[in-house]
Amino acid sequence: MDYDKALDTAIQRLHDEGRYRTFIDIERKRGQFPHAVWRKPDGSEKDITVWCGNDYLGMGQHPAVLAAMHEALDATGAGSGGTRNISGTTVYHKRLEAEIADLHGKEAALVFSSAYVANDATLSTLPKLFPGLIIYSDALNHASMIEGVRRNGGAKRIFRHNDVAHLRELIAADDPAAPKLIAFESIYSMDGDFGPIREICDLAEEVGALTYLDEVHAVGMYGPRGAGVAERDGQMARVDIINATLGKAFGVFGGYVAASAKMVDAIRSYAPGFIFTTSLPPVVAAGAAASIAFLKTAEGQKLRDLQQSHARTLKLRLRGMGLPIIDHGSHIVPVHVGNPVHCKMLSDMLLEHFGVYVQPINFPTVPRGTERLRFTPSPVHDPKQIDALVRAMDTLWGQCALNRAELSA
């Protein structure tokens, strides 16, 4: 086989379909986010504003986080030195897991190298703990959840997105005595819509199923202490396992699950993705713990309120121009384009001509024909930056003769 030719063919296919992914080399400036510097391939530089970052609240730049990381770096050095079982557990890891457990009102928490790994490792391990487990998974669950469910070797059922009636039908068709788990998300990041947490918990209690909730795009952002949508809606105690990230609103790195002490102990003891992975560096664990602690406070609520205000403003401005935004009331602002080539073209022109950095979202992240630009306003985006973005979008939408008929939410 001509391996190079096969690689060329695979890569060219992405170019032909308009969905080849380009990494943009940017340098964030401490204390100046969302400002950054774009280092172009030709060696030149351009000042830009980041509009697609997942550091939703700017906590990656927060003084409390940086101070904690400096302290840990000076105290312990760079890396952890091993897996959690072999020299890789420190006071910083224990402190972080205690902060997470307290945040979600659970007995315990377990930190992984990412939320992707946490989902994959946990969901693929649960059938080992509960033989015969059937997992019911929302059709739009994240790739990490899909991979974990796929790899576990057990029975799985896919229910239509946010369709509790369809979920009920699937459960009713299975053995009532079989162990069951319902896996879903609180916020689906591509459309920004919310999962029906209360209704799913009601059904789970009725049929004796466990619940597994991904709060990746909600932690830090919702609830009086930033624990997520389940906290906001008063449902957190009803969820058996909560998965989330330390790399978005908390602004650092890593992922976790929070649950009962027995559940966490079993996952810790059986999940290869946890057992055989080097633990987070203490400096990262320290920063994440500081970020969580800060966002539990009234000052953290001020950031959440300001972020929501900026998101509402941006949606209102874009909708006023007739742009096809997708609005389900969350902090995420998707603008529907519907064509991968046009989506990439808009992204490139925004960056080159207006200094606005937003990555195109194409297949397979979203279905074909639903390609979009996904904006994530933060508390540190100011009114002038919002105005500049809106004017840039208005200009380019007109130049490209794109449809201004608004989508329904």
Side-chain angles (χ1 to χ4, degrees):
M1 181 177 185
D2 187 335
Y3 296 104
D4 284 340
K5 184 177 180 180
L7 293 174
D8 289 339
T9 299
I11 294 171
Q12 187 58 46
R13 185 185 310 123
L14 297 178
H15 282 288
D16 294 342
E17 295 175 0
R19 59 187 186 93
Y20 178 77
R21 301 185 182 215
T22 302
F23 293 163
I24 305 298
D25 184 0
I26 66 169
E27 180 180 345
R28 299 195 343 164
K29 298 291 186 181
R30 187 180 69 180
Q32 299 179 36
F33 185 75
H35 292 290
V37 174
W38 172 31
R39 302 194 185 281
K40 300 184 180 182
D42 64 7
S44 62
E45 299 179 355
K46 182 180 179 68
D47 291 330
I48 62 170
T49 302
V50 178
W51 275 101
C52 59
N54 286 331
D55 186 356
Y56 291 136
L57 300 176
M59 290 303 293
Q61 309 282 306
H62 198 279
V65 175
L66 301 184
M69 296 182 78
H70 280 297
E71 184 275 330
L73 181 65
D74 291 339
T76 69
S80 69
T83 65
R84 288 291 297 274
N85 187 53
I86 305 176
S87 81
T89 295
T90 69
V91 62
Y92 299 99
H93 297 87
K94 302 298 289 184
R95 186 180 302 160
L96 173 57
E97 288 173 342
E99 283 286 0
I100 293 168
D102 173 74
L103 175 69
H104 292 291
K106 300 300 182 187
E107 293 177 341
L110 191 64
V111 172
F112 291 78
S113 54
S114 72
Y116 187 109
V117 173
N119 268 333
D120 184 10
T122 302
L123 287 168
S124 62
T125 295
L126 289 174
K128 301 174 186 176
L129 307 176
F130 308 107
L133 180 70
I134 303 171
I135 296 182
Y136 302 84
S137 179
D138 188 287
L140 293 189
N141 276 343
H142 189 265
S144 58
M145 300 174 77
I146 294 170
E147 184 65 14
V149 172
R150 184 188 67 80
R151 286 201 313 109
N152 68 35
K156 63 179 183 295
R157 312 282 186 261
I158 309 301
F159 62 93
R160 290 187 293 269
H161 177 53
N162 279 350
D163 190 336
V164 179
H166 185 225
L167 172 61
R168 178 182 290 276
E169 291 175 10
L170 294 175
I171 292 175
D174 286 321
D175 181 358
K180 300 173 177 66
L181 179 139
I182 304 169
F184 63 112
E185 300 185 35
S186 62
I187 296 179
Y188 293 84
S189 64
M190 290 302 107
D191 283 350
D193 58 329
F194 294 90
I197 300 174
R198 184 186 303 275
E199 292 83 354
I200 288 179
C201 286
D202 287 344
L203 177 56
E205 290 177 1
E206 180 183 332
V207 301
L210 295 170
T211 47
Y212 185 103
L213 178 63
D214 181 306
E215 289 259 34
V216 160
H217 288 274
V219 288
M221 305 295 293
Y222 298 85
R225 298 202 310 159
V229 178
E231 181 191 33
R232 184 199 69 178
D233 294 351
Q235 302 300 301
M236 196 161 60
R238 304 178 73 194
V239 178
D240 294 295
I241 305 173
I242 293 175
N243 163 275
T245 184
L246 303 168
K248 291 184 169 61
F250 294 131
V252 191
F253 181 79
Y256 62 84
V257 293
S260 68
K262 285 184 180 180
M263 183 73 78
V264 167
D265 191 23
I267 295 168
R268 175 189 73 85
S269 301
Y270 280 87
F274 175 82
I275 296 169
F276 299 105
T277 298
T278 299
S279 65
L280 290 183
V283 62
V284 172
S291 182
I292 294 171
F294 178 86
L295 288 177
K296 290 176 181 177
T297 68
E299 291 302 308
Q301 187 59 46
K302 290 180 182 178
L303 288 181
R304 285 188 284 277
D305 291 342
L306 187 55
Q307 193 282 331
Q308 291 286 342
S309 175
H310 286 176
R312 286 192 297 269
T313 298
L314 180 58
K315 290 176 186 177
L316 183 65
R317 296 282 305 276
L318 293 175
R319 185 185 291 111
M321 297 188 307
L323 266 63
I325 70 167
I326 304 169
D327 185 6
H328 292 280
S330 72
H331 62 284
I332 295 168
V333 186
V335 179
H336 182 268
V337 178
N339 179 289
V341 175
H342 292 165
C343 201
K344 180 66 166 63
M345 185 184 305
L346 282 169
S347 172
D348 290 344
M349 289 191 292
L350 283 168
L351 184 63
E352 183 65 46
H353 302 306
F354 297 94
V356 169
Y357 175 41
V358 56
Q359 279 287 71
I361 307 296
N362 293 330
F363 178 83
T365 306
V366 295
R368 297 180 193 274
T370 69
E371 293 82 5
R372 69 205 55 187
L373 299 174
R374 178 180 171 274
F375 297 95
T376 53
S378 75
V380 292
H381 285 95
D382 60 38
K384 288 184 178 179
Q385 291 164 343
I386 294 175
D387 188 60
L389 169 61
V390 170
R391 285 187 284 106
M393 288 290 286
D394 189 28
T395 299
L396 290 182
W397 221 258
Q399 286 180 3
C400 298
L402 295 173
N403 187 4
R404 288 184 185 259
E406 184 180 347
L407 291 177
S408 59

